[in-house]
Amino acid sequence: MPNDPRRRPLPRLRRLLVIATGNWLARSYLAVVAASVAVMFVFPDSAVAAGPLLLTAPLSLLGVVLPVGPGTEGGGAATVFAIGFWTVWLLWCALVNAAVLGALAARSATTAPAGERDPRPRDAHLSRPRPEGIRALMAPAVDNWLVRGYLAVVAVALGFFLYAVYLSPDPGFAGIWPLMATAPLGVLAFLLASPAEYLSLSWLSPLVFSAGVALSGLVNASLLGLLARRLRAPEPRPAG
């Protein structure tokens, strides 16, 4: 059917923009990203210049492996194209992250408090119980191809790290890949694992880091899955 909205990418993109700007949490995040970009231009040589890259992780970190971006050699049109591409990529990453936060805030707002649940009794044989607790939080992390693909990337990065640490004679900077795949939460895993290096427990550091990365990947996948659910949900039609 020509009017089938599933064949037109524009409505889904419009819904992404609505979710990314539809509540105070998402708008606050976009404001922080905009402020970090301003700070980057004011203090380009300071440590805070990496703020936009970290705030829009993990998608923004994929730009590290691309051959274009700020600092691209060639000058002229090549530099203009590289900076323009980086700007568009950063904006897209910020919108996706803002939409994830917007979907999370919308889910929290529509969840009924425990005291306001439907008081009608349920027949255990006729109704399917809804998942609760951790199971309910993790359900969006496995129910679509997008999050399953993301978890596969995290698993490959984590597997490479474990191989490099325990089987390779020179692990090098193998930890950067799972860190990039699970940022920004993966940074917390790195910080939690760091003290073991200074307490003569170096064998424990990779295990703590791996556990933190795995948990960060699950949380990120759950948030992406929640956004995918919001994008797939049918739009409410106006009455009449």
Side-chain angles (χ1 to χ4, degrees):
M1 296 178 62
N3 294 327
D4 190 351
R6 292 176 296 180
R7 299 187 179 183
R8 295 179 298 170
L10 184 58
R12 188 159 293 183
L13 177 60
R14 179 173 59 84
R15 180 177 294 190
L16 178 70
L17 294 175
V18 169
I19 298 174
T21 57
N23 56 70
W24 65 269
L25 182 60
R27 290 193 294 267
S28 299
Y29 166 78
L30 291 176
V32 171
V33 172
S36 70
V37 172
V39 171
M40 178 188 68
F41 282 107
V42 175
F43 305 102
D45 298 325
S46 66
V48 296
L53 192 66
L54 296 177
L55 287 172
T56 54
L59 287 178
S60 61
L61 296 179
L62 295 178
V64 175
V65 301
L66 299 177
V68 295
T72 301
E73 297 181 359
T79 301
V80 172
F81 172 78
I83 294 177
F85 177 86
W86 181 83
T87 302
V88 173
W89 178 254
L90 188 71
L91 177 61
W92 172 252
C93 295
L95 285 176
V96 171
N97 283 4
V100 168
L101 293 176
L104 180 62
R107 181 180 185 276
S108 301
T110 55
T111 301
E116 297 182 6
R117 293 180 178 176
D118 190 353
R120 292 175 297 178
R122 294 181 176 181
D123 190 337
H125 298 283
L126 298 179
S127 62
R128 180 179 300 176
R130 295 183 179 179
E132 297 180 357
I134 299 298
R135 187 180 174 188
L137 292 176
M138 292 295 104
V142 293
D143 66 353
N144 63 79
W145 66 267
L146 175 64
V147 293
R148 288 194 290 266
Y150 169 75
L151 287 177
V153 171
V154 173
V156 170
L158 185 56
F160 175 75
F161 167 74
L162 293 174
Y163 167 82
V165 168
Y166 291 108
L167 299 177
S168 175
D170 183 17
F173 295 96
I176 192 64
W177 301 113
L179 185 65
M180 290 172 57
T182 58
L185 291 178
V187 177
L188 297 179
F190 172 76
L191 295 177
L192 290 175
S194 296
E197 295 288 344
Y198 303 99
L199 298 175
S200 300
L201 297 173
S202 56
W203 61 270
L204 183 61
S205 180
L207 298 179
V208 174
F209 178 71
S210 299
V213 162
L215 181 59
S216 300
L218 284 175
V219 173
N220 285 353
S222 181
L223 293 176
L224 286 175
L226 183 61
L227 173 60
R229 286 184 175 184
R230 294 283 298 177
L231 291 176
R232 293 198 310 262
E235 295 184 5
R237 296 182 179 180

